[in-house]
Coordinates of all heavy atoms in Angstrom, one line a residue:
E2 N 24.7 4.8 25.6 CA 25.8 4.7 24.6 C 25.3 3.7 23.6 O 24.9 2.6 23.9 CB 27.1 4.1 25.3 CG 28.2 3.9 24.3 CD 29.5 3.3 24.9 OE1 29.7 3.4 26.1 OE2 30.2 2.6 24.2
I3 N 25.3 4.2 22.4 CA 24.8 3.3 21.3 C 25.8 2.3 20.9 O 27.0 2.5 21.2 CB 24.3 4.2 20.0 CG1 25.5 5.0 19.5 CG2 23.2 5.1 20.4 CD1 25.3 5.7 18.3
E4 N 25.4 1.2 20.2 CA 26.3 0.1 19.8 C 27.1 0.6 18.6 O 26.5 1.0 17.6 CB 25.5 -1.1 19.5 CG 26.2 -2.4 19.6 CD 27.0 -2.7 18.3 OE1 26.3 -2.5 17.2 OE2 28.1 -3.1 18.3
R5 N 28.4 0.6 18.7 CA 29.3 1.2 17.7 C 29.2 0.6 16.3 O 29.2 1.3 15.3 CB 30.7 1.2 18.2 CG 31.0 2.1 19.4 CD 30.7 3.6 19.2 NE 30.7 4.3 20.3 CZ 29.9 5.2 20.6 NH1 28.9 5.6 19.8 NH2 29.9 5.9 21.8
T6 N 29.1 -0.8 16.3 CA 29.0 -1.4 14.9 C 27.7 -0.9 14.2 O 27.8 -0.6 13.0 CB 29.0 -2.9 15.2 OG1 30.1 -3.4 15.8 CG2 28.9 -3.6 13.8
T7 N 26.7 -0.8 15.0 CA 25.4 -0.4 14.4 C 25.6 1.0 13.9 O 25.1 1.4 12.7 CB 24.3 -0.4 15.4 OG1 24.1 -1.7 15.8 CG2 23.0 0.1 14.8
Q8 N 26.2 1.9 14.6 CA 26.5 3.3 14.2 C 27.3 3.4 12.9 O 26.9 4.1 12.0 CB 27.1 4.1 15.3 CG 27.4 5.6 15.0 CD 28.2 6.3 16.0 OE1 28.9 5.7 16.7 NE2 28.0 7.6 16.1
V9 N 28.3 2.6 12.8 CA 29.2 2.6 11.6 C 28.4 2.1 10.4 O 28.5 2.8 9.3 CB 30.4 1.6 11.9 CG1 31.2 1.4 10.5 CG2 31.3 2.3 12.9
I10 N 27.6 1.1 10.6 CA 26.8 0.6 9.4 C 25.8 1.6 9.0 O 25.7 2.0 7.8 CB 26.1 -0.7 9.8 CG1 27.2 -1.8 10.0 CG2 25.1 -1.2 8.7 CD1 26.5 -3.1 10.5
V11 N 25.0 2.2 10.0 CA 24.0 3.2 9.6 C 24.7 4.4 8.9 O 24.2 4.9 7.9 CB 23.2 3.6 10.8 CG1 22.3 4.8 10.6 CG2 22.4 2.4 11.3
D12 N 25.8 4.9 9.5 CA 26.4 6.1 8.9 C 26.9 5.9 7.5 O 26.9 6.7 6.7 CB 27.4 6.6 9.9 CG 26.9 7.3 11.1 OD1 25.7 7.5 11.1 OD2 27.6 7.6 12.1
T13 N 27.5 4.7 7.4 CA 28.1 4.3 6.1 C 27.0 4.2 5.0 O 27.2 4.8 3.9 CB 28.9 3.0 6.1 OG1 29.9 3.1 7.1 CG2 29.5 2.6 4.8
V14 N 25.9 3.6 5.3 CA 24.8 3.5 4.4 C 24.3 4.8 4.0 O 24.0 5.1 2.8 CB 23.7 2.5 4.9 CG1 22.5 2.6 4.0 CG2 24.2 1.1 5.0
R15 N 24.1 5.7 5.0 CA 23.5 7.0 4.8 C 24.4 7.9 3.9 O 24.1 8.6 3.0 CB 23.3 7.7 6.2 CG 22.1 7.2 6.9 CD 22.0 7.7 8.3 NE 22.0 9.2 8.3 CZ 20.8 9.9 8.2 NH1 19.6 9.3 8.1 NH2 20.9 11.2 8.2
N16 N 25.7 7.8 4.2 CA 26.7 8.5 3.4 C 26.7 8.0 1.9 O 26.7 8.8 1.0 CB 28.1 8.3 4.0 CG 28.3 9.1 5.3 OD1 27.5 10.0 5.5 ND2 29.3 8.7 6.1
M17 N 26.6 6.7 1.8 CA 26.6 6.1 0.4 C 25.4 6.6 -0.4 O 25.4 6.9 -1.5 CB 26.7 4.6 0.4 CG 28.0 4.1 0.9 SD 28.1 2.3 1.0 CE 27.7 1.8 -0.7
L18 N 24.2 6.5 0.4 CA 23.0 7.0 -0.3 C 23.1 8.5 -0.6 O 22.6 8.9 -1.7 CB 21.8 6.8 0.6 CG 21.3 5.3 0.8 CD1 20.2 5.2 1.8 CD2 20.8 4.8 -0.5
G19 N 23.6 9.3 0.3 CA 23.8 10.7 0.0 C 24.6 11.0 -1.2 O 24.3 11.8 -2.1
E20 N 25.7 10.2 -1.4 CA 26.6 10.4 -2.5 C 26.0 10.0 -3.8 O 26.1 10.6 -4.9 CB 27.9 9.7 -2.2 CG 28.8 10.2 -1.1 CD 30.0 9.4 -0.8 OE1 30.2 8.4 -1.6 OE2 30.8 9.7 0.1
T21 N 25.2 8.9 -3.7 CA 24.5 8.3 -4.9 C 23.3 9.1 -5.4 O 23.2 9.4 -6.5 CB 24.1 6.8 -4.6 OG1 25.3 6.1 -4.2 CG2 23.6 6.2 -5.9
L22 N 22.5 9.4 -4.4 CA 21.2 10.1 -4.7 C 21.3 11.6 -4.7 O 20.4 12.3 -5.3 CB 20.2 9.7 -3.7 CG 19.8 8.2 -3.7 CD1 18.6 7.9 -2.7 CD2 19.3 7.7 -5.1
G23 N 22.3 12.2 -4.1 CA 22.5 13.6 -4.0 C 22.3 14.3 -5.3 O 21.5 15.2 -5.5
P24 N 23.0 13.9 -6.4 CA 22.8 14.6 -7.7 C 21.5 14.4 -8.3 O 21.0 15.2 -9.2 CB 23.9 13.9 -8.6 CG 24.9 13.4 -7.6 CD 24.1 13.0 -6.5
L25 N 20.7 13.4 -7.9 CA 19.4 13.1 -8.5 C 18.3 13.7 -7.7 O 17.1 13.6 -8.0 CB 19.2 11.6 -8.5 CG 20.2 10.7 -9.2 CD1 19.8 9.2 -9.1 CD2 20.2 11.1 -10.7
L26 N 18.6 14.5 -6.6 CA 17.5 15.0 -5.8 C 16.6 15.9 -6.6 O 15.4 15.9 -6.3 CB 18.2 15.8 -4.7 CG 18.4 15.0 -3.3 CD1 19.0 16.0 -2.3 CD2 17.2 14.4 -2.8
P27 N 17.0 16.8 -7.4 CA 16.1 17.7 -8.1 C 15.1 16.9 -8.9 O 13.9 17.2 -8.9 CB 17.0 18.5 -9.0 CG 18.3 18.6 -8.3 CD 18.4 17.3 -7.7
A28 N 15.5 15.8 -9.6 CA 14.6 15.0 -10.3 C 13.7 14.2 -9.5 O 12.4 14.2 -9.7 CB 15.4 14.0 -11.3
L29 N 14.2 13.7 -8.3 CA 13.3 13.0 -7.4 C 12.3 13.9 -6.8 O 11.1 13.5 -6.6 CB 14.2 12.3 -6.3 CG 15.1 11.2 -6.8 CD1 16.1 10.8 -5.6 CD2 14.2 10.0 -7.1
E30 N 12.7 15.1 -6.5 CA 11.8 16.1 -5.9 C 10.6 16.4 -6.9 O 9.4 16.6 -6.5 CB 12.5 17.4 -5.4 CG 13.3 17.1 -4.2 CD 14.2 18.3 -3.8 OE1 14.2 19.3 -4.7 OE2 14.7 18.4 -2.7
A31 N 11.0 16.6 -8.1 CA 10.0 16.9 -9.2 C 9.0 15.8 -9.3 O 7.8 16.0 -9.4 CB 10.7 17.1 -10.5
V32 N 9.5 14.5 -9.3 CA 8.5 13.4 -9.3 C 7.7 13.3 -8.1 O 6.4 13.1 -8.2 CB 9.3 12.0 -9.4 CG1 8.4 10.8 -9.3 CG2 10.1 12.0 -10.7
L33 N 8.2 13.5 -6.9 CA 7.4 13.6 -5.6 C 6.3 14.7 -5.8 O 5.2 14.5 -5.3 CB 8.2 13.8 -4.4 CG 9.2 12.6 -4.1 CD1 10.1 13.0 -3.0 CD2 8.3 11.4 -3.6
A34 N 6.8 15.9 -6.3 CA 5.8 17.0 -6.3 C 4.6 16.7 -7.3 O 3.5 17.0 -7.0 CB 6.6 18.2 -6.8
Q35 N 4.9 15.9 -8.4 CA 3.9 15.6 -9.3 C 2.8 14.6 -8.7 O 1.6 14.6 -9.0 CB 4.4 14.8 -10.5 CG 5.3 15.7 -11.5 CD 5.9 15.0 -12.6 OE1 5.8 13.7 -12.7 NE2 6.6 15.7 -13.4
Q36 N 3.3 13.8 -7.6 CA 2.4 13.0 -6.9 C 1.8 13.7 -5.7 O 1.1 13.0 -4.9 CB 3.2 11.7 -6.4 CG 3.9 10.9 -7.5 CD 2.9 10.4 -8.5 OE1 1.8 9.9 -8.1 NE2 3.1 10.5 -9.8
G37 N 2.1 14.9 -5.5 CA 1.5 15.7 -4.4 C 2.2 15.3 -3.1 O 1.6 15.5 -2.0
L38 N 3.4 14.8 -3.1 CA 4.2 14.5 -1.9 C 5.3 15.5 -1.6 O 5.9 16.1 -2.5 CB 4.7 13.1 -2.0 CG 3.7 12.0 -2.3 CD1 4.4 10.6 -2.6 CD2 2.8 11.8 -1.2
S39 N 5.7 15.6 -0.3 CA 6.7 16.5 0.1 C 8.1 15.8 0.0 O 8.2 14.5 0.2 CB 6.5 17.0 1.5 OG 7.7 17.6 2.0
A40 N 9.1 16.5 -0.4 CA 10.4 16.0 -0.5 C 11.2 16.1 0.8 O 12.4 15.6 0.9 CB 11.2 16.6 -1.7
E41 N 10.6 16.7 1.8 CA 11.4 16.9 3.0 C 11.8 15.6 3.7 O 12.9 15.4 4.3 CB 10.5 17.6 4.1 CG 11.2 18.0 5.3 CD 12.5 18.8 5.2 OE1 12.5 19.6 4.2 OE2 13.5 18.7 5.9
A42 N 11.0 14.6 3.6 CA 11.4 13.3 4.3 C 12.6 12.7 3.5 O 13.5 12.2 4.2 CB 10.3 12.3 4.2
L43 N 12.7 12.9 2.2 CA 13.8 12.4 1.5 C 15.1 13.1 1.9 O 16.1 12.5 2.0 CB 13.5 12.5 0.0 CG 14.6 12.1 -1.0 CD1 15.0 10.5 -0.8 CD2 14.3 12.3 -2.4
R44 N 14.9 14.5 2.0 CA 16.1 15.2 2.3 C 16.6 14.9 3.8 O 17.8 14.8 4.0 CB 15.7 16.7 2.3 CG 15.6 17.3 0.9 CD 15.5 18.9 0.9 NE 15.5 19.3 -0.4 CZ 16.6 19.6 -1.1 NH1 17.8 19.4 -0.5 NH2 16.5 20.1 -2.3
S45 N 15.7 14.7 4.7 CA 16.0 14.3 6.0 C 16.7 13.0 6.1 O 17.7 12.8 6.9 CB 14.7 14.2 6.9 OG 14.1 15.5 7.0
A46 N 16.4 12.0 5.3 CA 17.0 10.8 5.3 C 18.4 10.8 4.8 O 19.3 9.9 5.2 CB 16.3 9.7 4.4
L47 N 18.7 11.8 4.0 CA 20.1 11.9 3.5 C 21.0 12.9 4.3 O 22.2 13.1 4.0 CB 20.1 12.4 2.0 CG 19.3 11.6 1.0 CD1 19.2 12.1 -0.3 CD2 19.9 10.1 1.0
R48 N 20.5 13.4 5.3 CA 21.3 14.4 6.1 C 22.2 13.6 7.0 O 21.9 12.6 7.5 CB 20.4 15.3 7.0 CG 19.7 16.4 6.1 CD 18.7 17.1 7.0 NE 18.0 18.0 6.1 CZ 16.8 18.5 6.4 NH1 16.2 18.2 7.5 NH2 16.1 19.3 5.6

């Protein structure tokens, strides 16, 4: 059983990041692609 306060904090931060960065994903992926990096890690962090 995970510690509930930790779960709430982590889920809240992830949701806020998803809402903030979601519209910027195409631009961020383009920048990562220019650097030869995969965007999958970024997408996973926002799921």
Side-chain angles (χ1 to χ4, degrees):
E2 180 183 332
I3 58 176
E4 202 274 316
R5 294 294 170 225
T6 301
T7 300
Q8 182 185 25
V9 169
I10 292 172
V11 170
D12 286 348
T13 299
V14 171
R15 286 170 60 85
N16 290 337
M17 291 178 62
L18 286 173
E20 293 173 2
T21 303
L22 297 180
L25 301 176
L26 268 179
L29 290 171
E30 289 175 349
V32 171
L33 289 172
Q35 290 175 2
Q36 302 297 318
L38 301 174
S39 170
E41 184 57 33
L43 179 61
R44 286 188 174 277
S45 296
L47 298 178
R48 287 173 187 157

